[in-house]
Amino acid sequence: GAVVSQHPSWVICKSGTSVKIECRSLDFQATTMFWYRQFPKQSLMLMATSNEGSKATYEQGVEKDKFLINHASLTLSTLTVTSAHPEDSSFYICSASLRALSSYEQYFGPGTRLTVT
Amino acid sequence: GNSVTQMEGPVTLSEEAFLTINCTYTATGYPSLFWYVQYPGEGLQLLLKATKADDKGSNKGFEATYRKETTSFHLEKGSVQVSDSAVYFCALPVGGGADGLTFGKGTHLIIQP
């Protein structure tokens, strides 16, 4: 149980275009979903926290107008990278939390590799 | 906010060797501490956790003890297997009431037969 999927697993887009990444909790309802970013040989960095039906909370230094997050249901959150540039190329990972299970325990998706050309 | 420092790899060991991956943290209060593992081509999985000082988390032969005196949460295993080859991340909540996690840089463990 507690499976999280992401789609697509990898995407290549041209500079200036927008890309949407989906994160789904497949077998549980996630009260909270998180988006992380991972650069090569670097750690995961929290970008934002989203709760179903409310606006996402962004970490300091993350542009909310560039990284649009929508958490429309308890099983789906989307991250849209708007007007993508090569420096946005990275590995984006989502996770989902059901706080009733255990404090802060999160279930991670497999990640999406974004390459902006 | 909270932060974590983790030994960087790669760490290469022979099968059945003893493993230690060091992790130290800086935090306000006494947050839960976690070790996550990422096998090749897969997402991060929770390996073990400890929710308070002196707790020992354990799973699949791995152990880690929450040491508030040394602010450490070192990961250990007595006898590693080839199947333990993966990247290991130490993590704790970012702090400030947020639920997101802050991670160490990850340690790539390679076990040779």
Side-chain angles (χ1 to χ4, degrees):
Chain A
V3 178
V4 176
S5 69
Q6 280 184 243
H7 178 79
S9 56
W10 60 271
V11 58
I12 301 173
C13 71
K14 293 187 176 181
S15 186
T17 62
S18 296
V19 175
K20 179 184 286 188
I21 302 170
E22 292 185 350
C23 176
R24 294 181 184 273
S25 56
L26 298 185
D27 51 2
F28 68 103
Q29 293 186 325
T31 54
T32 305
M33 287 185 168
F34 306 88
W35 287 96
Y36 295 84
R37 182 174 180 177
Q38 185 179 29
F39 293 101
K41 299 186 178 181
Q42 298 286 325
S43 181
L44 285 77
M45 292 180 58
L46 179 66
M47 297 175 66
T49 302
S50 72
N51 292 293
E52 185 262 341
S54 61
K55 289 185 177 180
T57 301
Y58 291 81
E59 294 300 301
Q60 191 172 10
V62 178
E63 299 176 61
K64 63 180 180 181
D65 294 330
K66 181 168 189 60
F67 299 100
L68 301 179
I69 293 172
N70 183 279
H71 193 161
S73 77
L74 285 172
T75 60
L76 173 65
S77 176
T78 60
L79 168 67
T80 301
V81 183
T82 63
S83 187
H85 289 97
E87 58 265 30
D88 299 324
S89 298
S90 191
F91 196 54
Y92 292 89
I93 303 171
C94 74
S95 71
S97 169
L98 176 54
R99 293 195 75 179
L101 284 177
S102 181
S103 180
Y104 302 115
E105 189 162 333
Q106 297 178 25
Y107 300 91
F108 286 81
T112 297
R113 173 76 60 193
L114 170 63
T115 302
V116 184
T117 61
Chain B
N2 299 336
S3 64
V4 57
T5 301
Q6 176 181 349
M7 64 184 291
E8 297 183 38
V11 173
T12 304
L13 297 172
S14 297
E15 205 166 20
E16 299 184 2
F18 184 85
L19 168 71
T20 299
I21 300 178
N22 290 335
C23 170
T24 57
Y25 65 90
T26 302
T28 302
Y30 303 104
S32 296
L33 303 175
F34 305 88
W35 276 100
Y36 280 84
V37 58
Q38 186 174 32
Y39 298 103
E42 299 183 15
L44 274 76
Q45 302 173 26
L46 178 65
L47 178 61
L48 54 83
K49 65 181 180 183
T51 58
K52 61 183 187 295
D54 299 326
D55 262 4
K56 177 185 286 186
S58 61
N59 186 26
K60 300 182 180 179
F62 290 89
E63 294 182 340
T65 301
Y66 192 137
R67 304 277 189 204
K68 68 176 183 179
E69 300 85 3
T70 54
T71 60
S72 64
F73 193 54
H74 304 322
L75 182 68
E76 297 182 335
K77 186 172 185 180
S79 177
V80 293
Q81 305 300 314
V82 172
S83 57
D84 294 327
S85 298
V87 181
Y88 293 81
F89 293 90
C90 185
L92 73 163
V94 295
D99 287 350
L101 298 174
T102 185
F103 289 83
K105 290 190 174 182
T107 301
H108 187 191
L109 175 64
I110 301 169
I111 306 301
Q112 297 177 332

